[in-house]
Amino acid sequence: MPGTFEPLPGGGASVALDDVEISIIRSLAVQLLELIGPGPAEDDAPADPLAELFAEGPSEPPSDPVLKRLFPDAYRDPEQSGNPQEAAEQRAHSAEFRRYTENDLRAGKRENALAVIHSLNALTPGEGGLAVLELTPAESRRWLGALNDLRLAIGARLDITDEDDTDDFYRLPDEDPRKPMVMAYLWLGGLQETLVSTLMA
């Protein structure tokens, strides 16, 4: 069935996508890459792998709401604490955790988005204008990570904080400027759900 992931013999998943669907996913993945930002340039990369492992990243949370959703604080939001001392401790712990994990998280999300783009670029249209994407188990996990990130990014732009928030979006009139983004959010959710089911089968 088009737009639904199905299991492949021996593991992995496949899905039939048309030109419009391919274009939408590719465009969203490219935008996600631009938002996450490029990795370190080769000249800036430490020659010592151990130094690279302990390279420090940012300690402050990003200001962009999408990046905040993609790279949340590891500890409870300090602003929600009524105790100033507890809030200060949480800020310090979050900053320390972020400093040593965000670079790796960004690299992983970047690799997932790139894997999606590369696999879509390799597709050739088949019968009826549909192209069948076949993913290995490892590629499927990368796709799953990227689909999750894309939904988080769109959800942040739509200010969705809970899945229950989506109920109102089903009733949006067609002229509402948010409608295309909502449709993409719901469609990606369906893709993500069938991919999860396929990998768990």
Side-chain angles (χ1 to χ4, degrees):
M1 181 188 299
T4 302
F5 276 100
E6 296 177 358
L8 283 174
S14 69
V15 63
L17 299 168
D18 63 29
D19 288 345
V20 173
E21 292 169 329
I22 292 168
S23 176
I24 290 171
I25 298 173
R26 184 192 289 118
S27 173
L28 289 172
V30 167
Q31 289 176 54
L32 182 65
L33 274 176
E34 290 171 354
L35 190 62
I36 292 170
E42 272 187 42
D43 297 343
D44 299 336
D48 178 4
L50 193 60
E52 187 175 357
L53 183 65
F54 291 102
E56 292 188 14
S59 59
E60 292 299 317
S63 57
D64 185 289
V66 173
L67 289 175
K68 247 184 186 170
R69 185 78 59 93
L70 291 172
F71 306 104
D73 275 329
Y75 296 84
R76 190 163 59 102
D77 185 353
E79 307 311 318
Q80 293 180 357
S81 173
N83 182 324
Q85 182 179 349
E86 185 182 321
E89 287 173 2
Q90 287 171 354
R91 266 193 295 275
H93 292 319
S94 289
E96 190 72 5
F97 188 83
R98 184 178 295 279
R99 183 177 294 124
Y100 292 108
T101 59
E102 187 167 313
N103 283 347
D104 283 345
L105 287 174
R106 281 183 185 261
K109 292 179 186 301
R110 198 178 293 116
E111 286 167 14
N112 290 343
L114 279 170
V116 166
I117 293 166
H118 292 321
S119 57
L120 291 176
N121 287 345
L123 285 179
T124 52
E127 205 175 311
L130 291 176
V132 177
L133 174 70
E134 294 190 349
L135 303 172
T136 65
E139 290 169 336
S140 298
R141 288 189 291 275
R142 288 211 174 279
W143 262 76
L144 193 57
L147 287 173
N148 187 59
D149 288 342
L150 291 174
R151 289 192 79 236
L152 284 173
I154 295 172
R157 289 286 184 245
L158 291 169
D159 203 24
I160 296 172
T161 54
D162 191 287
E163 281 301 316
D164 292 339
D165 294 345
T166 59
D167 291 346
D168 293 337
F169 287 118
Y170 283 105
R171 296 185 286 276
L172 283 179
D174 289 343
E175 60 272 15
D176 192 300
R178 297 171 295 172
K179 186 78 177 224
M181 205 182 294
V182 169
M183 297 306 291
Y185 180 83
L186 297 173
W187 173 60
L188 290 172
L191 273 180
Q192 184 181 14
E193 191 176 326
T194 62
L195 183 52
V196 169
S197 300
T198 296
L199 292 177
M200 291 178 66

